[in-house]
Amino acid sequence: MGRSSRGNGRAEGRSGAGLRSWELAVLPVRRGSLGSPRAQPRPCSQRRLEARGPSFSWHKILLHFLLSSVGWNMASIHLQFSRMMPRKRKRLTPLNAVQSKPSFSPADTSGSLTVVLDGNSSPVSSKYFSEEKRTSSRLGTDFFNQPCISLAKSFLGQILVHKLPDGRELRGRIVETEAYLGGEDAASHSKGGKQTARNAAMFMKPGTLYVYQIYGIYFCMNVSSQGEGAAVLLRSLEPLQGLDTMRQLRSAQMKGSAKPLKDWQLCNGPAKLCQAFSINKSFDQKDLARDTAVWMEPGSEAPGEQAVVTAARIGVSYGGEWAQKPLRFYIRGNKCVSVVDKKVESEQGAAD
């Protein structure tokens, strides 16, 4: 009896410490040594929950009573619930704020940000898409889709661009080209309609690069046009941007301690421009209208008819009568032209 009364005394003492009488009634009890009931000592977890105050409602006490019989820790469960519920509320609060309040004022949209929306309400362009805006001015498939001679002339004054892997861009104005007319042209790689793995790009859609190697070390760059196996050779450029990089690339290919190249010497030849622009066989069959590393942009001003010299091609003596065909075109007076035909210039000047 004395042991039972001590147990009841502890329970009554605790009831005055914070438990209501009805809360005490649902606490588990056990029998004393003499068969008298005594209050089950409250676990530490329950004392922590009681300290939380009125937020601990009756259903939580009942849940604790049920789970304590199987040894579950009510405190840990309550702690998980208390951590999880506020987190959900925190997640919902920013969402409601975004839906109810715009992140910028209408005045901001007219100044620092310009967005054009299509029918699906998705951003199409803004000032932050500067890369897309700039490259959107590139020459497209329609420009390249013209007869070979016409394309060779149209190239004069246009800008060739190569974006290096490190992001630097090289630019040069085309000042000299040669036209190769395909199967009928005895000086063309596709003469007689012959198609091989090497010249396959000449038979692809207009605007496809045809890069081939000469002497085992140098490269030449061509662009396909209308006509079966027809293409235009890019013979000389006037360097515009990245001249120091071009000079380094050229010097790396030169033997011995040659003098530093002058600007007009960087791209004044088909193999030289490929060196200066770091063009190699890996560029073969690339599409100038779509490729992200190499493309063409419209020049600021196209040369007039009187500024274009029409002369025989260079280094095609094996072509017989085709070697003398006037299929080379260059801008008169430009210092970056590889070979100047003074005779033809004087004749054309007299005719004009």
Side-chain angles (χ1 to χ4, degrees), residues 10-232:
R10 280 197 298 269
E12 292 171 359
R14 290 192 187 95
S15 66
L19 276 180
R20 301 178 183 87
S21 59
W22 61 270
E23 291 176 330
L24 182 61
V26 299
L27 291 177
V29 298
R30 68 176 184 176
R31 293 291 177 178
S33 58
L34 298 180
S36 60
R38 71 173 186 175
Q40 177 71 20
R42 294 172 300 172
C44 295
S45 60
Q46 181 179 338
R47 290 198 297 272
R48 288 197 300 270
L49 294 174
E50 291 173 3
R52 298 174 68 92
S55 63
F56 187 70
S57 58
W58 66 270
H59 62 276
K60 296 180 181 178
I61 297 176
L62 182 59
L63 180 62
H64 166 70
F65 173 73
L66 296 175
L67 295 180
S68 62
S69 62
V70 292
W72 287 15
N73 192 334
M74 180 59 186
S76 62
I77 296 175
H78 181 79
L79 182 61
Q80 294 297 328
F81 272 78
S82 63
R83 289 178 177 176
M84 183 169 57
M85 297 305 294
R87 188 180 307 166
K88 290 183 178 179
R89 288 194 295 270
K90 289 179 181 178
R91 289 176 181 172
L92 291 174
T93 300
L95 179 59
N96 295 333
V98 170
Q99 293 176 345
S100 61
K101 182 179 179 181
S103 59
F104 53 85
S105 63
D108 295 335
T109 61
S110 61
S112 60
L113 178 64
T114 301
V115 179
V116 180
L117 299 179
D118 61 6
N120 298 325
S121 298
S122 59
V124 176
S125 63
S126 78
K127 74 169 188 175
Y128 300 103
F129 302 149
S130 57
E131 182 70 14
E132 288 78 5
K133 279 189 174 182
R134 183 184 57 73
T135 56
S136 64
S137 64
R138 67 166 63 197
L139 298 175
T141 303
D142 291 341
F143 173 83
F144 301 108
N145 189 22
Q146 53 182 308
C148 190
I149 294 177
S150 176
L151 182 62
K153 293 180 179 180
S154 298
F155 274 153
L156 297 178
Q158 311 304 333
I159 310 301
L160 177 67
V161 185
H162 179 201
K163 185 174 183 179
L164 300 175
D166 60 6
R168 291 178 296 172
E169 293 184 355
L170 307 177
R171 278 181 167 80
R173 180 181 292 109
I174 301 172
V175 298
E176 185 179 4
T177 61
E178 290 180 353
Y180 290 85
L181 306 184
E184 62 177 338
D185 189 344
S188 174
H189 289 180
S190 59
K191 63 180 179 179
K194 182 179 181 181
Q195 183 175 357
T196 64
R198 182 196 187 199
N199 70 356
M202 300 181 75
F203 296 86
M204 294 182 177
K205 59 176 283 191
T208 302
L209 285 181
Y210 169 43
V211 181
Y212 62 89
Q213 194 171 26
I214 58 174
Y215 307 123
I217 52 175
Y218 302 118
F219 295 94
C220 292
M221 182 180 187
N222 304 257
V223 183
S224 65
S225 67
Q226 283 184 5
E228 192 75 6
V232 177

Side-chain angles (χ1 to χ4, degrees), residues 296-319:
M296 283 189 187
E297 295 175 351
S300 58
E301 184 178 354
E305 282 291 333
Q306 295 181 352
V308 177
V309 178
T310 302
R313 295 174 292 188
I314 305 298
V316 292
S317 57
Y318 56 85

Side-chain angles (χ1 to χ4, degrees), residues 259-294:
K259 294 181 180 180
L261 295 171
K262 298 179 180 180
D263 293 351
W264 61 270
Q265 296 175 318
L266 292 174
C267 305
N268 62 335
K272 293 177 182 178
L273 74 85
C274 284
Q275 286 182 350
F277 270 68
S278 189
I279 300 295
N280 52 40
K281 187 64 175 177
S282 65
F283 287 83
D284 187 45
Q285 300 185 15
K286 287 186 178 294
D287 186 357
L288 283 176
R290 297 180 178 275
D291 197 79
T292 58
V294 60

